[in-house]
Amino acid sequence: TGLGFTSLTTEGFDVTYIKANVVVDSLTAAQSVLNTPAKQSRVVRETAQVIDYFNSGSSGNFPGDNAFPGIGFTDTEDFVVLVTGTVLIPATGPWSFGVNSDDGFSLTLRDGAQTFTMSHPAPRGPADTILVFNVARAGPFEATLLFYERGGGAELEFFAAQGSRATFNANDFHLVGDTAEGGLTLLGFESMIRTDIGGAMKGVNASLWTRFDFNAADPGTFGGILLRMRFEDCFA
């Protein structure tokens, strides 16, 4: 393992922009738009190396603002952005993760044994939310960032620094994925695939059934099995 295939050559964040046909003024409303196609008027997807988006109003901490997918720099209200990716945290100990947003957001980092969350549920102008996570086990973490725009300007940044940092400073914090400037590394499916099954599946079969054998010298000594999965799209 892993089993899979991909046509993506660039590893980064998967970003989905959703224009809502309802008012989006809370994380609850944003999640409802994400889960309800009838509340979506337009969906645009892209792959992004970093999360540094700007639409209008005041920008965040980092230069080089990118336009949100599909809308350019046109002032747009009531939309939702879902960002997913795999972030490699290379060392244990405290790590400070930050989101600068206008308006609200929620962030989850998880690796199966550890789950870290932070959020700013209500609308706001451009501002930082920074939280220190004590990482007990280094390695890849699945990141899920949900953002919504209600009114006025819109911008979104996702950054991190090793150690405990209560406030933003440009020397310590870097955009996640901006490895050239010292940011954390992103992992993608291309680096995880050990057995490429594209020839057997792509355009041929929608599902795969597989079995893995393993040897246990004394099965009676085991009380349970822990199975960790990383997957797209589904498994049973």
Side-chain angles (χ1 to χ4, degrees), residues 87 89 91-97 105-119 131-145 158:
V87 179
I89 301 180
T92 59
W95 285 82
S96 301
F97 281 85
F105 79 94
S106 67
L107 171 69
T108 301
L109 295 170
R110 60 166 58 91
D111 76 341
Q114 306 165 95
T115 300
F116 305 115
T117 61
M118 58 188 282
S119 67
L131 197 62
V132 178
F133 301 144
N134 187 25
V135 177
R137 184 178 65 185
F141 281 72
E142 300 295 331
T144 303
L145 175 59
F158 179 34

Side-chain angles (χ1 to χ4, degrees), residues 37-105:
K39 296 181 179 181
Q40 304 171 3
S41 63
R42 187 183 183 210
V43 178
V44 180
R45 295 180 174 87
E46 72 175 20
T47 299
Q49 191 60 44
V50 298
I51 302 304
D52 183 9
Y53 287 118
F54 173 74
N55 178 253
S56 63
S58 299
S59 59
N61 299 306
F62 296 89
D65 299 326
N66 301 309
F68 284 97
I71 59 174
F73 294 103
T74 303
D75 189 20
T76 305
E77 318 297 357
D78 294 312
F79 64 84
V80 175
V81 174
L82 176 66
V83 178
T84 60
T86 302
V87 179
L88 179 62
I89 301 180
T92 59
W95 285 82
S96 301
F97 281 85
V99 173
N100 184 285
S101 68
D102 176 3
D103 289 291
F105 79 94

